[in-house]
Amino acid sequence: MSPATTGPAIGTRAVLVFGRHDRVPVLVDDRGTGWFDVELVDPYVPSFIPDCRAVLEFAGSAGTGQVVGRLRRTPNPAILRLAHTAPIQLTRRREFVRSRVAAPVTVMRLGPDATATRAVTVDITGAGMTLRGIPYAAPGQLYTFELELRDVPLVEGQFRVQRVDGDLVSAAFTVLDARDRAALVRYAADHPARPGYVA
């Protein structure tokens, strides 16, 4: 694993892992040098939380990552502090966090006389997507897109066609806001493709 350049941003949904099987959903409430404060999403607060080893798993624009440290209570019972000294680790780069999902996407080729086409995704990563329903697509072409995913705000950007295989079009994002990229990585991490799946 290689160090991530940054850890989870404030407001990021994450998972706190401790003990042998405990996984607790949290929100990153605050952060500083060597620590993250996380808010428990539900009121469950284990009695052995103070001074126990824990891992904070998160997804961001670079991919999925983890922070290893020790938990301590704070004056607010809903907030826990994870103190860490080890580097923040990037566990999977964004192009390897993949979700197989059929989602509607409106695409338009850049250039004169362009018309919008309604396509559907086959899979999505933080670096690109595979689509069906783009007639006459060819490697190197540039398109704008609007992607509609359940529980995710509309994602807009541009992509370049990398490969065409029958009706499958592999696309790499060329323009994508960092927040939208992070949202796609989080979505893919929450809805992973089955092991061994190849589009």
Side-chain angles (χ1 to χ4, degrees):
M1 294 184 295
S2 58
T5 54
T6 62
I10 293 172
T12 298
R13 290 185 298 111
V15 175
L16 200 57
V17 183
F18 53 91
R20 296 186 64 182
H21 305 291
D22 292 290
R23 298 177 61 85
V24 178
V26 295
L27 286 173
V28 177
D29 180 70
D30 199 1
R31 56 177 294 171
T33 303
W35 58 270
F36 290 91
D37 281 353
V38 296
E39 180 181 2
L40 296 162
V41 173
D42 59 44
Y44 168 60
V45 182
S47 60
F48 55 91
I49 278 286
D51 199 28
C52 72
R53 182 182 182 278
V55 177
L56 183 66
E57 297 179 347
F58 65 93
S61 60
T64 58
Q66 66 178 22
V67 184
V68 179
R70 296 197 75 82
L71 282 177
R72 302 196 191 290
R73 290 187 187 272
T74 68
N76 182 342
I79 303 291
L80 300 171
R81 174 160 293 187
L82 179 72
H84 67 95
T85 55
I88 299 166
Q89 297 292 318
L90 187 66
T91 54
R92 281 188 297 167
R93 292 171 56 86
R94 62 189 178 212
E95 57 266 35
F96 300 119
V97 185
R98 181 179 301 273
S99 177
R100 184 178 187 184
V101 59
V105 57
T106 302
V107 303
M108 184 179 298
R109 185 178 171 189
L110 293 181
D113 303 321
T115 58
T117 299
R118 195 77 164 160
V120 64
T121 63
V122 175
D123 65 25
I124 298 169
T125 74
M129 55 187 170
T130 304
L131 309 104
R132 279 195 171 99
I134 307 179
Y136 312 115
Q141 292 175 342
L142 292 171
Y143 287 79
T144 61
F145 72 89
E146 294 181 349
L147 172 63
E148 302 169 36
L149 285 171
R150 182 178 297 177
D151 301 323
V152 176
L154 185 70
V155 176
E156 300 177 85
Q158 294 181 15
F159 66 76
R160 182 186 306 277
V161 175
Q162 299 291 94
R163 187 174 69 254
V164 178
D165 185 9
D167 64 343
L168 292 178
V169 175
S170 297
F173 299 133
T174 55
V175 177
L176 188 62
D177 182 82
R179 290 184 181 179
D180 285 341
R181 192 183 299 276
L184 290 182
V185 174
R186 281 194 295 271
Y187 182 90
D190 290 343
H191 305 82
R194 295 188 303 272
Y197 163 72
V198 177

